[in-house]
Amino acid sequence: VGRSDLQSKPSTSKIIELYQYPPLLQFFKSILTKSTVTPYNNLHLSKDPEGSIYGLIFRDHEVGSWHLDEHPFSCVWTVQQPLFASGAFGYVYLPPVINEDGSETWPDYDIIGGVMRNETDAWKQHVRYHMVNEGEIYCFNGNITMHMMNMVVGDVERVNFVTAFSEDEHFQHKDSINEFNVWGKHNPELHKVASV
């Protein structure tokens, strides 16, 4: 569910207050502007009316597919973790490759292809997992870190909120991203229930 859906329910509107909490943004900014790996000059909340913050629920046998985020910096708030250490966060960090002439190449399609084809060597060399506990927040460069979620096993759902940040203070997702994620006005199921 997207931001507008979260705002409309008192039980989930608190996460928006946390996202907009200035000391939290300042904390993330202080880390990123000092990073030697992927330094940022600044950090802002996303201005996207739906994708700036959204909720995800995964049930038994559901899996999150490999993807990159459009927003540059993502933080995932872990509300509930499933059983048996399932639903782990898998990722492949894809920083730009600096060529001999100083130019950058991105992304490395050989790495992406190997992971997508489930090649054993590519997985051993590039795929990492982060096991998360309930109540934790983990953050990463969503637009250069290909990521997914392992299958959930059991009757306890994996519940998360994702918050989006960018160096660009006017950042918004492309319309196609909002349509693909079927949140807010693009989610016919939520609006069918609301209109009944």
Side-chain angles (χ1 to χ4, degrees), residues 113-179:
V115 170
M116 299 301 286
R117 289 187 298 273
N118 289 321
E119 294 174 3
T120 302
D121 288 343
W123 276 70
K124 284 181 180 177
Q125 191 173 2
H126 300 291
V127 176
R128 301 290 176 262
Y129 286 95
H130 181 65
M131 299 307 292
V132 184
N133 296 309
E134 290 181 13
E136 289 182 349
I137 302 170
Y138 58 96
C139 302
F140 58 99
N141 297 102
N143 65 343
I144 60 171
T145 306
M146 190 167 72
H147 52 284
M148 55 83 77
M149 184 209 65
N150 277 356
M151 182 184 293
V152 170
V153 177
D155 58 0
V156 177
E157 299 167 334
R158 182 185 196 262
V159 181
N160 299 101
F161 291 103
V162 179
T163 51
F165 302 87
S166 176
E167 281 186 288
D168 176 4
E169 64 182 305
H170 304 292
F171 176 85
Q172 290 195 22
H173 290 105
K174 295 177 186 145
D175 287 343
S176 60
I177 298 294
N178 288 324
E179 291 166 13

Side-chain angles (χ1 to χ4, degrees), residues 5 8 28 35 46 62 65 69 111 138:
D5 302 311
S8 67
F28 290 149
S35 170
S46 168
E62 292 182 340
S65 60
D69 296 335
I111 294 174
Y138 58 96

Side-chain angles (χ1 to χ4, degrees), residues 23-35 40 43:
L24 184 63
L25 177 63
Q26 188 58 43
F27 173 69
F28 290 149
K29 189 185 300 188
S30 69
I31 295 169
L32 288 173
T33 55
K34 293 176 185 157
S35 170
Y40 281 64
L43 191 69

